[in-house]
Amino acid sequence: MARSLGVSPSTVSRAFNAPHLLKEETVSAVVATAERMGYVPNLHARALVTGKTGLIGLIVPDITNPFFPPLVRAAQRAAETRGLSVMIAETNSLPERERAHIASLAPHCGGLIIASSRLTPEELRHVADSTRVVLVNNDTEGVARVLISSASALTEGIHALVARGARRFCYVGGPHRSWSEFERRSTLEQLAAELDLDATYHRDESGTYHEARMMTATVDCETDAVIAFDDVIACGVLDGLSDRGLRVPEDMALLGCDDALPVQTRPRLSTIRLRAAEGVTEAVRMVTEATGSTVDEERVLLPGVLEFRETT
């Protein structure tokens, strides 16, 4: 490339690694020549010189859950704008797999984004002491984190259902180690105490449609409204209620969370739209803009938006 352009190899290198040191027309000429010659930077070779791999590690609990693919896509796009790539690992919500992925990714990545971690706060702080880490949907003090929150929208939704006459609520929760599960269940618990509501609680630990559908057989038919941990569980509840001859929303209202599957249900699912893409984009910014070997603590809260549709 240098011979083709009639410049030094160091000028070509600066065009990719420190373009602000060169004239704009020089950078444009180098980039155009790179495209013409089909040049692609060798990340492994670059890492030998710079110590930076150009990778961000993204760890998620369940890649099959509809909440996570858009989050992964947003992370990839945010990383690409910074000239980086994303390495993805799935834990199946198992703490031991999460620990193994952290250990294997940390030495090779410039930073880690851990979504919905199942580790203890002590473990996460220990990792953050030596690695650039940003948590998504885990509110561990002392660690940089982005919280994609449903609390305010869920509060709004429960108040609206109460205003329409609902007094008996049922919550069908998800994995007990999930911060989102804690936030959603505790929101209903607090409002039930404040508003003198009757609330019962079930848990779909697997987070699957099939378990939620079977579990619906235990929901009291006198329940006015069901709150589901996420839209996958809400779909199972919707079909389980239909199996019992109960109509939604005529006999029982249903509110999901995530806004992952609204167009795939009939009636269309009322839910809480969460800012997952915006949240992980912010996490990429935080981990890449860190100047030291760790990320300074920052707590970013992104509230969701209530979407009342046909199931309420």
Side-chain angles (χ1 to χ4, degrees):
M1 287 178 61
R3 285 195 298 271
S4 175
L5 288 162
V7 299
S8 68
S10 61
T11 296
V12 176
S13 178
R14 288 192 186 97
F16 291 105
N17 298 306
H20 60 282
L21 298 178
L22 301 175
K23 295 180 180 179
E24 185 176 343
E25 55 267 28
T26 302
V27 175
S28 298
V30 171
V31 171
T33 301
E35 292 178 353
R36 177 173 56 81
M37 297 179 70
Y39 169 73
V40 177
N42 186 315
L43 296 181
H44 296 291
R46 177 182 291 179
L48 291 174
V49 177
T50 65
K52 299 178 181 179
T53 62
L55 295 173
I56 297 173
L58 174 61
I59 300 174
V60 299
D62 181 5
I63 197 66
T64 65
N65 187 304
F67 175 79
F68 288 105
L71 183 145
V72 170
R73 174 185 290 177
Q76 289 178 322
R77 290 179 176 174
E80 287 168 2
T81 63
R82 293 165 171 80
L84 304 171
S85 298
V86 176
M87 185 177 290
I88 302 162
E90 184 209 38
T91 69
N92 198 29
S93 299
L94 298 174
E96 58 270 25
R97 291 192 65 179
E98 186 174 337
R99 294 185 194 101
H101 286 313
I102 291 172
S104 63
L105 290 177
H108 305 290
C109 296
L112 299 179
I113 297 171
I114 307 175
S116 302
S117 175
R118 304 300 196 242
L119 300 186
T120 66
E122 292 75 18
E123 289 180 284
L124 291 172
R125 281 191 283 265
H126 178 72
V127 174
D129 284 341
S130 58
T131 306
R132 289 185 179 183
V133 171
V134 176
L135 306 177
V136 174
N137 279 4
N138 184 291
D139 197 11
T140 295
E141 291 187 8
V143 184
R145 56 207 187 272
V146 178
L147 304 175
I148 305 168
S149 173
S150 56
S152 60
L154 181 55
T155 298
E156 179 186 354
I158 292 171
H159 275 287
L161 290 168
V162 170
R164 300 177 189 184
R167 303 298 302 177
R168 295 178 294 274
F169 285 77
C170 174
Y171 177 75
V172 181
H176 73 275
R177 291 184 297 268
S178 163
W179 171 81
S180 298
E181 158 70 9
F182 168 78
E183 184 191 49
R184 293 164 196 174
R185 175 168 175 151
S186 61
T187 297
L188 176 58
E189 288 175 336
Q190 181 178 344
L191 288 173
E194 292 176 358
L195 304 176
D196 193 25
L197 304 176
D198 180 15
T200 57
Y201 302 91
H202 300 270
R203 187 187 303 281
D204 177 356
E205 184 62 36
S206 70
T208 63
Y209 161 89
H210 297 288
E211 186 173 329
R213 184 171 183 171
M214 290 187 295
M215 183 179 295
T216 308
T218 64
V219 174
D220 190 335
C221 63
E222 297 299 319
T223 298
D224 297 316
V226 177
I227 309 294
F229 168 72
D230 63 13
D231 287 358
V232 172
I233 291 176
C235 285
V237 170
L238 182 62
D239 287 348
L241 293 175
S242 178
D243 293 342
R244 297 173 59 189
L246 295 168
R247 300 168 301 163
V248 175
E250 293 84 358
D251 299 320
M252 199 176 297
L254 174 63
L255 179 64
C257 192
D258 290 349
D259 200 19
L261 302 170
V263 298
Q264 298 184 27
T265 65
R266 291 292 181 272
R268 296 180 69 238
L269 181 64
S270 294
T271 187
I272 296 170
R273 178 163 46 85
L274 299 178
R275 297 154 65 183
E278 183 180 345
V280 78
T281 298
E282 182 68 9
V284 170
R285 178 197 67 78
M286 293 164 68
V287 80
T288 56
E289 291 184 359
T291 56
S293 59
T294 60
V295 182
D296 292 337
E297 182 179 6
E298 184 178 354
R299 185 180 189 269
V300 178
L301 184 71
L302 301 176
V305 177
L306 180 65
E307 296 284 356
F308 267 155
R309 298 189 178 105
E310 295 171 352
T311 60
T312 50

